[in-house]
Amino acid sequence: MFAALASGLRHIGALTIGGIWRLGFAARFLLAVLLASGQSIRRLHLTIRELYFSGVLSLLIIAVSGFFVGLVLGLQGYDILQRFGSADAVGVMVALSLLRELGPVIAGLLFASRAGSAIAAEIGLMKTTEQLKAMDMMAVDPIARVVAPRFWGGVLSMPLLAALFSAMGIFGGWLITVVVIGVDDGAFWSQMQATVEFRYDVVNGVIKSFVFGAVVSLIAVFEGYDCQPTAEGVSRAITRTVVTSALAILALDFVLTSFMFRGL
């Protein structure tokens, strides 16, 4: 019994030490990416290509998901608000839910699932086929040539994707409540315009999307760069990228919300 307990404690201690070591390595890796970003600016076409890979290729899933989320929010919001005689304010509920929370969070989760996993797989395969070592032998910094453009491509594309998600969600909410259910069109837009504040609602949502984009991009490039150079190692890196990104987004959403809206 005591031997099993001691073995369990040793296992927990090893996991804890390993986790702390990986956090430290990730921090040093982020510093190396930031230091190498100056070199990647001179290769701006690489960052633009990654913007296309991370952002443009994710437009369809983001737009469709945002549209259907808006439809659901419109139906649920109308059902709840009509019980209190405030069905005309359904536009406010849809807009605030999307701009403050659902837009950045769901867009971040979708971004991690599609772009984040692809980035981790691409870098992991480059490591497995020793392309990164070949770059290093040719005096080409793989951090500046491969990692930094993908990192900044994700950071810059995420706010645009979150904005598109929110816009499509608001359109879906308008379609289901005004066109299908019959809520007054003027009341839908006027109450939304009078209630939604640019500083506290729109800007805070943009800040969240920037943070989520930076975190997901860092996790993706780090897991791909740090993976074992085997097929199993790449698959584990992809899984860790998606799972860790989802947990980080949800945890950071709570932290950011507690700071942004603590005075309300």
Side-chain angles (χ1 to χ4, degrees):
M1 178 178 177
F2 292 103
L5 180 60
S7 177
L9 291 176
R10 282 196 300 269
H11 182 67
I12 294 174
L15 290 177
T16 303
I17 294 174
I20 295 174
W21 184 89
R22 281 182 62 83
L23 285 176
F25 182 58
R28 291 187 288 115
F29 183 79
L30 175 60
L31 180 61
V33 171
L34 295 178
L35 292 176
S37 298
Q39 301 180 29
S40 64
I41 293 177
R42 290 177 290 182
R43 304 183 181 97
L44 188 59
H45 64 282
L46 297 176
T47 303
I48 295 175
R49 187 184 67 180
E50 296 306 322
L51 275 171
Y52 174 82
F53 176 77
S54 300
V56 177
L57 297 183
S58 302
L59 287 178
L60 181 60
I61 186 174
I62 292 292
V64 173
S65 301
F67 177 74
F68 283 107
V69 168
L71 293 177
V72 173
L73 283 177
L75 287 174
Q76 295 285 0
Y78 179 81
D79 179 68
I80 294 173
L81 293 176
Q82 72 170 346
R83 303 177 187 178
F84 303 97
S86 303
D88 291 339
V90 64
V92 176
M93 180 178 179
V94 172
L96 292 180
S97 299
L98 288 168
L99 293 174
R100 287 185 174 184
E101 298 295 333
L102 295 181
V105 171
I106 299 182
L109 295 175
L110 294 174
F111 178 80
S113 301
R114 202 218 70 85
S117 60
I119 291 173
E122 188 176 11
I123 298 178
L125 289 174
M126 293 179 70
K127 183 177 182 180
T128 302
T129 55
E130 297 187 348
Q131 297 181 46
L132 300 180
K133 288 185 178 180
M135 291 181 187
D136 199 17
M137 292 179 64
M138 292 185 295
V140 177
D141 187 4
I143 300 293
R145 180 64 175 77
V146 175
V147 176
R150 286 164 174 78
F151 173 77
W152 289 111
V155 172
L156 296 176
S157 62
M158 179 59 208
L160 302 177
L161 295 175
L164 175 65
F165 185 96
S166 299
M168 290 301 297
I170 292 174
F171 172 73
W174 170 83
L175 184 66
I176 194 65
T177 56
V178 175
V179 178
V180 178
I181 297 178
V183 175
D184 184 71
D185 190 18
F188 182 91
W189 294 112
S190 62
Q191 293 200 32
M192 183 189 303
Q193 183 179 6
T195 305
V196 175
E197 297 185 11
F198 179 79
R199 177 183 177 185
Y200 292 105
D201 302 320
V202 178
V203 173
N204 286 340
V206 172
I207 293 174
K208 283 186 177 183
S209 61
F210 264 112
V211 174
F212 296 161
V215 170
V216 172
S217 300
L218 175 62
I219 292 173
V221 296
F222 173 73
E223 292 293 349
Y225 195 84
D226 188 53
C227 73
Q228 295 293 327
T230 60
E232 184 181 2
V234 174
S235 65
R236 288 182 177 179
I238 296 172
T239 302
R240 286 196 302 267
T241 297
V242 177
V243 174
T244 308
S245 297
L247 295 176
I249 287 172
L250 296 176
L252 286 173
D253 180 58
F254 169 74
V255 174
L256 292 174
T257 302
S258 64
F259 280 101
M260 290 174 177
F261 303 110
R262 65 184 185 275
L264 297 181

